[in-house]
């Protein structure tokens, strides 16, 4: 099926009450682990690349890895820029073959967010590329920004209609209590489903995106901590909450931290079991296998997009 935009995928996901997994990719083993899992369970995919990933692995290498995955799996895959922070970065990704970009103007004022988002939409739509915007601010750390809990802000449902109409975005990321990284809630996990419901009422049929949606799976946190690591107080989004969001208007669920934890836990375990090991295939291979298991689990039990490719 090949390289696709998010348009058709999200339309079907909305109608079917499921979500597409948007997994962050940084190297070959991650691309292979995710796409092998999706192939086995016939799931459509968004593979997303952050500015940091692009700096680390190089745009062309990542693009070629994804093209290779499409050739190997025959799956529909959308290649998406995660958290683009400027028009120039979005333009560079569009010119370099991405089929979708996120312009994250959530740190700007409402008017400035609209301005930069509309500029990206005009350029992207001209080239047949879809655009994700963001309203509201998630707490946590990404490459470009570090938002403290005090600076985080829930999305205001009163703003979403005007934002979508004036920018022409194809999907919208909203803040309902999730955050980036491995430490998401200070007490009991709680998502503002009332905000999601309100947004869905204001934007019927329109695809919503949930960032910061890793569940911080205890098995992998334990694997890290038992093998010389130190991940204190890990806390993720409960899977039943994600499942509920996917049955509503959330069509794209972003997952990166869970991949990092699975990969790191597995590699630490390999070194604990065999400290003399120095063949990268002997620890990156198992790390790739654990990513595959994790992604299969997400697709079947959380996203509900198995069999939808
Ligand atoms: O939301 C952020 C993603 O986890 C990407 O993280 O900017 O460190 O690549 P990164
Ligand atoms: P997590 O840190 O919860 O995996 O979120 C990833 C994300 O939102 C990427 O944009
Ligand atoms: Zn994010």
């Amino acid at each position: 099926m090949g390289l696709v935009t998010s348009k058709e995928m999200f339309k079907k996901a909305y109608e079917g009450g499921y979500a597409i997994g948007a997994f962050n990719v940084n190297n070959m083993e991650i691309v292979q682990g995710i796409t092998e899992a999706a192939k086995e369970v016939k799931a459509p995919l968004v593979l997303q690349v952050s500015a940091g990933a692009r700096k680390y692995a190089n745009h062309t290498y990542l693009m070629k890895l994804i093209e290779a995955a499409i050739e190997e799996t025959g799956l529909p895959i959308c290649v998406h820029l995660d958290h683009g922070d400027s028009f120039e970065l979005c333009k560079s990704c569009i010119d370099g073959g991405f089929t979708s970009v996120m312009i994250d103007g959530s740190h700007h004022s409402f008017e400035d967010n609209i301005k930069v988002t509309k500029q990206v939409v005009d350029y992207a739509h001209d080239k047949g590329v879809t655009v994700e915007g963001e309203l509201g601010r998630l707490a946590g750390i990404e490459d470009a920004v570090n938002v403290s809990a005090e600076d985080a802000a829930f999305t205001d449902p009163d703003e979403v209609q005007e934002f979508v109409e004036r920018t022409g975005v194809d999907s919208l990321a909203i803040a309902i209590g999730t955050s980036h990284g491995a430490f998401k809630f200070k007490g009991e996990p709680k998502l503002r489903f009332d905000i999601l419901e309100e947004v869905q009422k204001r934007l019927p049929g329109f695809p919503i995106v949930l960032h910061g949606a890793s569940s911080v799976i205890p098995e992998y946190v334990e694997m890290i901590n038992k093998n010389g690591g130190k991940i204190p107080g890990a806390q993720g989004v409960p899977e039943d909450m994600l499942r509920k969001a996917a049955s509503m208007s959330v069509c794209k669920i972003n997952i990166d931290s869970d991949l990092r934890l699975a990969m790191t836990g597995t590699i630490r375990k390999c070194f604990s079991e065999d400290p003399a090991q120095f063949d990268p295939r002997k620890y990156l291979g198992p790390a790739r296998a654990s990513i595959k298991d994790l992604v299969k689990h997400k697709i079947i039990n959380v996203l509900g997009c198995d069999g939808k490719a």
Side-chain angles (χ1 to χ4, degrees), residues 1 17 21 36 39 58 74 84 96 128 136 138 146 156 171-172 191 194 206 225 260 268 296 304 306:
M1 249 190 264
E36 282 171 17
K39 183 184 179 184
N58 173 296
L138 272 70
N146 181 359
D156 178 355
S171 61
L172 183 68
L191 293 192
D194 56 323
F206 189 82
N225 290 347
R260 295 179 182 201
R268 276 192 177 278
K296 255 205 225 170
D306 48 314

Side-chain angles (χ1 to χ4, degrees), residues 11-309:
K11 187 170 180 289
K12 287 190 196 156
Y14 195 103
E15 286 163 2
Y18 61 88
I20 311 289
F23 299 98
N24 286 69
V25 294
N26 292 281
N27 69 10
M28 184 186 77
E29 284 76 10
I30 297 174
V31 171
Q32 288 178 333
I34 298 166
T35 55
E36 282 171 17
K39 183 184 179 184
E40 278 187 21
V41 295
K42 299 186 176 51
L45 274 176
V46 175
L47 293 182
Q48 53 188 15
V49 175
S50 69
R54 214 163 160 255
K55 230 180 272 164
Y56 170 76
N58 173 296
H59 180 98
T60 312
Y61 277 90
L62 289 172
M63 207 54 211
K64 296 288 176 196
L65 284 171
I66 295 169
E67 281 166 14
I70 288 170
E71 202 176 310
E72 285 295 319
T73 62
L75 288 174
I77 296 182
C78 168
V79 189
H80 175 76
L81 168 66
D82 192 27
H83 294 283
D85 64 350
S86 67
F87 171 77
E88 289 70 28
L89 174 58
C90 293
K91 178 179 182 300
S92 163
C93 289
I94 294 165
D95 294 346
F98 282 25
T99 53
S100 180
V101 292
M102 174 190 193
I103 173 70
D104 181 354
S106 61
H107 311 288
H108 297 305
S109 67
F110 185 65
E111 281 305 320
D112 288 349
N113 189 357
I114 288 182
K115 198 169 154 200
V116 69
T117 305
K118 166 115 180 62
Q119 191 188 8
V120 172
V121 168
D122 287 345
Y123 189 80
H125 283 183
D126 220 37
K127 316 247 178 220
V129 167
T130 44
V131 180
E132 173 185 326
E134 178 164 343
L135 261 185
R137 279 188 309 277
L138 272 70
I141 302 170
E142 304 146 20
D143 224 48
V145 278
N146 181 359
V147 181
S148 68
E150 298 75 55
D151 287 335
F154 294 120
T155 303
D156 178 355
D158 284 340
E159 291 184 342
V160 297
Q161 233 170 345
E162 183 182 348
F163 185 82
V164 167
E165 274 165 23
R166 286 178 59 195
T167 58
V169 282
D170 303 282
S171 61
L172 183 68
I174 62 169
I176 58 167
T178 61
S179 59
H180 292 108
F183 321 97
K184 298 191 189 294
F185 300 97
K186 269 182 188 146
E188 193 65 16
K190 186 176 172 354
L191 293 192
R192 291 287 304 272
F193 280 103
D194 56 323
I195 295 180
L196 179 56
E197 253 166 50
E198 245 344 281
V199 169
Q200 188 164 2
K201 263 189 223 152
R202 315 284 173 104
L203 296 171
F206 189 82
I208 298 303
V209 176
L210 209 55
H211 282 249
S214 279
S215 293
V216 188
I217 296 179
E219 178 192 337
Y220 292 114
V221 175
E222 262 166 46
M223 207 187 271
I224 292 175
N225 290 347
K226 260 203 221 147
N227 292 290
K230 208 171 185 181
I231 307 271
Q235 168 82 277
V237 186
E239 290 185 344
D240 57 335
M241 291 189 188
L242 296 169
R243 195 57 223 119
K244 181 174 169 187
S247 73
M248 297 168 72
S249 60
V250 170
C251 295
K252 172 174 177 272
I253 291 189
N254 284 12
I255 296 164
D256 187 11
S257 295
D258 278 336
L259 301 174
R260 295 179 182 201
L261 292 166
M263 193 161 199
T264 305
T266 306
I267 291 173
R268 276 192 177 278
K269 186 164 173 270
C270 287
F271 284 128
S272 288
E273 285 170 357
D274 185 2
Q277 186 55 253
F278 66 99
D279 178 346
R281 294 169 298 187
K282 296 288 188 329
Y283 51 88
L284 291 177
R288 176 175 59 196
S290 69
I291 285 185
K292 182 175 172 182
D293 287 347
L294 170 73
V295 170
K296 255 205 225 170
H297 164 76
K298 297 273 179 191
I299 289 171
I300 295 170
N301 301 303
V302 181
L303 302 156
C305 60
D306 48 314
K308 308 295 185 189

